Amino acid sequence: MAPPRNRRPGFSRRAQYGLFIGYVGLIGGGLIGAVLLLLSTFNPPAFAAVRGVFAEVTTPIASGLHWMRRGLWGIPEGIGSYFAVHGENAALKDRIAKDAPALARAQTLERENRRLRDLVKLRDVATDAVVAARLVASSSSSTRRFATLNAGSWQGVKRGQPVRDPGGLIGQVLETSPNTARVLLLTDPESIVPVRRVRDGLPAIASGRGDGLIDIRSASMAAMGFQPGDAFVTSGTGGIFPPDVPVAQVVRSQGDVAIAKPSADPDALDFALVQAAFLPEPAPSPTPSASPTAQPKAAQ
């Protein structure tokens, strides 16, 4: 049997309740509106007080709903920002990895240019400079310590001339050829350099150890105490090395011997300056010429 087309709400209790609540709400809302209208017309201060009460009640609720709305709207934006930042971070890492070799080359060139500028300044100041040359090799893994310069006798390099850089003394020329020279480094066991302590001028002898360090021994009979940090420079004694060139700095002492680190590390250098000996070589003494013998007179 088909249901009737016209069914009144009274047949459903839920519909009846809904209709009743709707009427009550409509009537209540109308009464509240009328009261508020009359109150705002005839008693504005009371209306302002009522409005303040409603504002105190509704403001926290409105703030919470606004915060929730902003949070919900910000979720897609946050997800998009995360993926965007993640992709940008990956791109930056790739770029850094690609630029790393170029950065390393630039840093190497910067260090080399800085050393060359210091070397040029030293050459301009030093009046006894012979030539600035490249250190093309050094024997850092052997007990004998030598280096090779790409300048030789054709460039004015002579045996015994000191070799240095802006940081300090490196050694002295041991052998020469037309375009190369062999340098005996300070750290070689055969190297001996007269030095003096900077703080009091006390004379000493610096000799190589063959392990990259230098032994400092007193040059006088009096016992002298060494302290870590004592700096030594050339004294000029012997006429080979000019005075006041940094040589080494003490790292520790063992009795009357100090272990020192050289001021200039040849393994970390690219260029060096060859200087003339501090005192010029003595002029060769003239050889006496044979006196002419008297010619016998011809017989008449």
Side-chain angles (χ1 to χ4, degrees):
M1 180 177 177
R5 295 183 179 178
N6 297 325
R7 295 191 62 182
R8 292 179 302 171
F11 291 102
S12 174
R13 192 175 297 274
R14 179 181 298 177
Q16 290 178 359
Y17 288 156
L19 186 60
F20 176 73
I21 292 173
Y23 286 146
V24 171
L26 180 61
I27 295 171
L31 290 175
I32 293 174
V35 171
L36 292 176
L37 179 62
L38 293 174
L39 194 62
S40 64
T41 303
F42 296 103
N43 194 354
F47 176 75
V50 173
R51 185 173 55 187
V53 170
F54 276 102
E56 290 292 333
V57 174
T58 58
T59 298
I61 299 175
S63 299
L65 293 175
H66 180 69
W67 178 82
M68 291 177 61
R69 185 172 64 254
R70 289 186 58 186
L72 292 175
W73 287 353
I75 289 175
E77 183 179 357
I79 295 174
S81 299
Y82 170 78
F83 286 107
V85 170
H86 183 72
E88 185 178 355
N89 190 19
L92 289 175
K93 287 183 178 179
D94 293 339
R95 184 174 180 181
I96 290 173
K98 292 179 181 179
D99 293 342
L103 179 61
R105 288 193 297 270
Q107 291 175 344
T108 302
L109 290 175
E110 173 62 24
R111 289 193 296 267
E112 184 174 346
N113 289 336
R114 185 167 56 250
R115 288 195 293 265
L116 287 175
R117 287 194 296 267
D118 294 340
L119 193 61
V120 169
K121 292 179 182 178
L122 176 63
R123 184 175 181 178
D124 292 339
V125 173
T127 58
D128 54 353
V130 176
V131 66
R134 182 184 290 272
L135 283 167
V136 297
S138 63
S139 56
S140 59
S141 60
S142 173
T143 56
R144 298 304 307 273
R145 300 300 174 100
F146 300 100
T148 303
L149 286 173
N150 65 345
S153 57
W154 288 359
Q155 289 77 31
V157 180
K158 297 180 181 180
R159 186 177 184 274
Q161 289 178 337
V163 181
R164 63 166 299 181
D165 86 319
L169 190 66
I170 297 174
Q172 66 179 123
V173 177
L174 186 63
E175 300 172 355
T176 61
S177 58
N179 286 301
T180 60
R182 196 180 190 196
V183 179
L184 180 69
L185 300 178
L186 283 177
T187 54
D188 188 86
E190 299 295 328
S191 173
I192 297 177
V193 179
V195 296
R196 63 176 181 84
R197 191 161 56 185
V198 173
R199 61 185 174 91
D200 55 6
L202 205 60
I205 299 296
S207 59
R209 293 168 50 93
D211 58 356
L213 299 176
I214 296 174
D215 284 338
I216 306 291
R217 292 181 172 84
S218 173
S220 61
M221 297 300 296
M224 55 183 286
F226 298 103
Q227 298 177 4
D230 283 346
F232 287 86
V233 296
T234 54
S235 63
T237 304
I240 299 296
F241 303 100
D244 300 327
V245 178
V247 175
Q249 189 172 19
V250 175
V251 294
R252 65 180 184 272
S253 60
Q254 296 178 351
D256 58 347
V257 179
I259 311 300
K261 181 180 179 181
S263 300
D265 183 8
D267 297 332
L269 300 178
D270 295 325
F271 293 88
L273 182 68
V274 181
Q275 292 181 284
F278 177 50
L279 296 179
E281 297 180 359
S285 57
T287 56
S289 58
S291 58
T293 57
Q295 296 292 334
K297 293 182 179 181
Q300 296 181 354

